[in-house]
Amino acid sequence: MQMIKYNYPLKKYNTFGIDIHTRKFVRLDNEQQATELFKEGTFFSDNCLILGGGSNILFSGDYDGTVIQALFRDVKILEISTDSAIITADAGLEWDKLVEWAVKNGLGGLENLSGIPGHTGAAPIQNIGAYGAEVSEMINAVHAISLENGDRRVFSAEECRFGYRDSIFKNEMKGKYLITRVEFRLSRDHHNIKLSYGNLEQEIKGRGQPTLAAVRDAVIKIRNDKLPDPSLTGNAGSFFKNPVLETDQYTKLKKKFSDMPSWELGNGLYKVPAAWLIEKAGWKGRQVGRAAVHHRQALVLVNLGGAKGSEILKLSRMIMDSVEEMSGIRLSREVNII
Ligand code: FAD
Ligand code: EPU
């Protein structure tokens, strides 16, 4: 049953644990409710926020509008052949439940993305990625409903214009669609096991054959060792994106910081770890009011308890200014500021 509440508290609905209220909160339990709600055309992007699990959001204050959460959670196999399957998963299904389901059913592709918080409907928004995989590699199509008129639209993977932590839903289509379900193409045979990121291969060695389940377990172990658990310490994962630099800018920076790690992406582009720049600028573990930079992962900002969104935002600005002064690079935020 669709739920509507007014002046609704959102502390439990954002992993930073920011204690704010929304003027109105609507929970949708099926696609039909979404179509009905949006066909009136009363929702516009500037006073309506689609919320998933709230794990990539920072509320800077109370929300003077309507927060809509889609909680339908079905997952189905649409097509199956000897070597692959196309599955569809509803927006409200917890992302990691989907990965667990895929691994249990011998379907490969999502295992490196184990342990990422949030809902399936948000996965295409920033093209979630971790441990050598990006979700765009597995996405077949994204189904959505227009907030302006309730019309349905299917975006092909190409139309989603995926990039590093980027898609059409963060640009031209920002705030215009509710993603209702996502189709994935997964392997059933000849899985492409990816072990090249960081110490993943080493972690898997002690687990026998590199099966889908072993990759999932190893990724979860590595993540648990370095990322703070949001149920204990409020955070939204990486607060900033890793900067991607052109050769000139990269060469200049490498001359200044010869020990700076980097990854060559091809086409004259280099990715530099923002965590390294933040740590180099002296921010790792530092606290400003009730906000802090995590002591094990400098890319993660944390709420030490009772922080306001504005305090976290202020800390993020201080870091951006300081890193820019040190390196000439202006970091961009990954987390969505509301
Ligand atoms: P929300 O935070 O609720 O929303 C994020 C954005 O998507 C908002 O703009 C929202 O309006 C929009 N949105 C959400 N659902 C929909 C929908 N159905 N339709 C339209 N718009 C929608 N991310 C990674 O990529 N890799 C990681 O390794 C990673 N690790 C993390 C670790 C931790 C501890 C935490 C807290 C976060 C991490 N994240 C990571 C970030 C986050 O988990 C992902 O971005 C996730 O996909 C966000 O999902 P969500 O449902 O919580 O989205
Ligand atoms: N590093 C430091 N100091 C630190 C942490 C890291 O200098 O405190 C340096 C090290 O050189 C390390 C490098 O940064 O080798 C990369 O660190 P890590 O492997 O932890 O990855 P990251 O770049 O910090 C990215 C994603 C994560 C994802 C991991 C694993 C972004 C913005 N973040 O983090 O995604 O889980 O790789 O693939 O791309 C998220 O998006 O919220 C997120 C957690």
Side-chain angles (χ1 to χ4, degrees), residues 8-21 303 306:
Y8 193 68
L10 291 183
K11 189 172 177 188
K12 288 193 187 134
Y13 290 78
N14 71 100
T15 58
F16 259 122
I18 306 295
D19 192 4
I20 53 103
H21 287 68
N303 175 0

Side-chain angles (χ1 to χ4, degrees), residues 75 93-103 116 118 120 216:
V75 51
L93 180 66
E94 254 180 69
W95 173 257
D96 198 48
K97 288 259 188 306
L98 173 64
V99 180
E100 186 185 32
W101 176 90
V103 168
I116 299 180
T120 301
R216 172 169 167 76

Side-chain angles (χ1 to χ4, degrees), residues 106-269:
L107 299 174
L110 304 180
E111 57 284 352
N112 292 59
L113 304 175
S114 291
I116 299 180
H119 295 177
T120 301
I125 304 276
Q126 74 155 4
N127 180 20
I128 54 170
Y131 297 92
E134 282 187 333
V135 75
S136 55
E137 297 158 36
M138 279 66 72
I139 287 180
N140 191 47
V142 172
H143 293 248
I145 295 181
S146 162
L147 265 60
E148 283 173 44
N149 54 24
D151 285 355
R152 282 162 197 261
R153 177 161 171 191
V154 182
F155 291 85
S156 67
E158 201 186 324
E159 283 172 321
C160 292
R161 286 202 233 125
F162 291 118
Y164 164 61
R165 297 294 188 272
D166 202 20
S167 76
I168 196 167
F169 305 107
K170 287 184 80 176
N171 296 289
E172 295 99 295
M173 298 301 165
K174 189 176 163 79
K176 294 204 165 104
Y177 281 91
L178 166 77
I179 292 175
T180 51
R181 60 190 179 90
V182 185
E183 280 179 31
F184 302 89
R185 182 183 292 277
L186 303 177
S187 57
R188 290 191 71 208
D189 203 1
H190 300 105
H191 301 302
N192 177 17
I193 301 278
K194 302 183 196 108
L195 300 179
S196 61
Y197 190 96
N199 58 344
L200 188 52
E201 184 152 25
Q202 205 182 328
E203 183 62 44
I204 225 138
K205 270 192 184 138
R207 295 165 196 268
Q209 289 300 313
T211 58
L212 301 179
V215 175
R216 172 169 167 76
D217 290 350
V219 166
I220 289 175
K221 162 83 172 52
I222 298 170
R223 295 181 68 92
N224 289 344
D225 284 348
K226 68 177 174 195
L227 291 168
D229 175 353
S231 69
L232 305 172
T233 310
N235 77 90
S238 303
F239 198 89
F240 303 99
K241 292 194 253 187
N242 286 325
V244 174
L245 308 180
E246 308 223 328
T247 309
D248 286 0
Q249 208 183 6
Y250 168 74
T251 316
K252 239 165 84 189
L253 201 64
K254 190 75 184 166
K255 237 183 219 161
K256 189 166 177 192
F257 302 115
S258 58
D259 55 337
M260 180 184 74
S262 60
W263 300 276
E264 193 171 350
L265 302 177
N267 297 327
L269 297 174

